Amino acid sequence: MNTSRFFLAGILCLNLLGAAAPQATDNQAALVKQSSIVFAGTVSQLGTTSFAGVPKSAQTIVVRVDSVLKKPPAVSLKKGDNVTVEVKDPSAFRDGTQATFYTDGWIFGSGVAVKELGHELTPSSGEASKPAGADEKAQQQAQEQISDQELRDRLNSADFVVIGRVTDVHRWTVPKSATPHRVSEHDPDWHEAVVEVQSVLKGGQVKGNKVVVRFPGRNDVAWVHSPKFEKNQQGIFCLNMYHASGVTTEKVGGRQMTVYTCLGHGDSLPMSDAPRVRSLLKN
């Protein structure tokens, strides 16, 4: 009689474990989909913040980034950065806690602050690890941030769509002839990227083989979706003529180059998206 009872208990336990695994995977996938920023990190401070301008409370903690799994292209976030996280339950964390954080953007300034949607502690933190394949799922979700319809709209509204490589990045020195603008807390801090055009996918011939792309250097909330450029970056760029200051050309290396902007979500894409972009342009 006891043997039968133990046997039935074992069967029930196995069934419950089998049902729990898909549910955990589904919950993790849902969190990835809901989150705009997903990263693994180590808690370094409790009850404080990583930069000025973020309201400090018992729910704010500082986390050192160990790896970035998902983020908008415009958000500057990398391994070693400190992030302020407003967590749901501060008692779940202590100094040295390691976890994967599923979050939404909150405040962007001289740093990044986010609000927790959920988290999963790593084994070293004393709890079960995240479901197998979580990193791969997060990366896949990151690649799906922009839908085909949204990308098609960006491509249609662009003056040019080019494949190119960034050869130089520098802060823009505003000339005296530029139209004055009102300085505010959301000032873009314009920078310029010199892009060597390797192929034109839309818009006809680009004059010369290089263009200047003017972009905001700040991570302010007003510019959070605007791509930032780095030297030697290669990709697909949706360009629009720059008109804001009245200065539409820039002299680089003794040549006058046309100035463009690349400001919207999906305006800067990795080379891996080339087949998708060509297909959408064709259709």
Side-chain angles (χ1 to χ4, degrees), residues 69-89:
L69 304 178
K70 176 184 178 182
K71 72 176 184 67
V75 173
S76 177
L77 187 64
K78 63 185 183 302
K79 181 178 178 180
D81 285 352
N82 288 319
V83 176
T84 298
V85 183
E86 185 182 72
V87 297
K88 295 180 177 180
D89 179 12

Side-chain angles (χ1 to χ4, degrees), residues 195-208:
V195 176
E196 182 180 51
V197 177
Q198 299 167 334
S199 177
V200 180
L201 304 181
K202 176 194 172 184
Q205 189 65 37
V206 174
K207 186 178 180 181

Side-chain angles (χ1 to χ4, degrees), residues 108-186:
F108 301 90
S110 57
V112 174
V114 297
K115 292 193 174 188
E116 179 204 354
L117 298 179
H119 74 273
E120 289 169 336
L121 299 179
T122 60
S124 60
S125 293
E127 290 189 11
S129 63
K130 59 188 174 184
D135 287 0
E136 290 83 354
K137 287 178 179 293
Q139 291 169 2
Q140 181 180 7
Q141 290 291 338
Q143 293 171 357
E144 297 173 352
Q145 287 181 68
I146 182 167
S147 67
D148 281 353
Q149 183 57 55
E150 186 180 359
L151 179 54
R152 185 181 288 109
D153 291 341
R154 297 306 305 158
L155 295 171
N156 289 339
S157 63
D159 294 328
F160 285 91
V161 179
V162 305
I163 293 175
R165 182 177 68 90
V166 178
T167 61
D168 182 52
V169 174
H170 55 265
R171 175 171 284 171
W172 180 41
T173 302
V174 184
K176 293 180 179 179
S177 59
T179 304
H181 72 284
R182 183 175 62 85
V183 177
S184 75
E185 60 181 306
H186 303 297

Side-chain angles (χ1 to χ4, degrees), residues 49-79:
T49 61
S50 57
F51 64 100
V54 181
K56 186 187 302 185
S57 74
Q59 287 183 270
T60 55
I61 65 174
V62 176
V63 180
R64 186 185 70 250
V65 176
D66 297 325
S67 63
V68 178
L69 304 178
K70 176 184 178 182
K71 72 176 184 67
V75 173
S76 177
L77 187 64
K78 63 185 183 302
K79 181 178 178 180

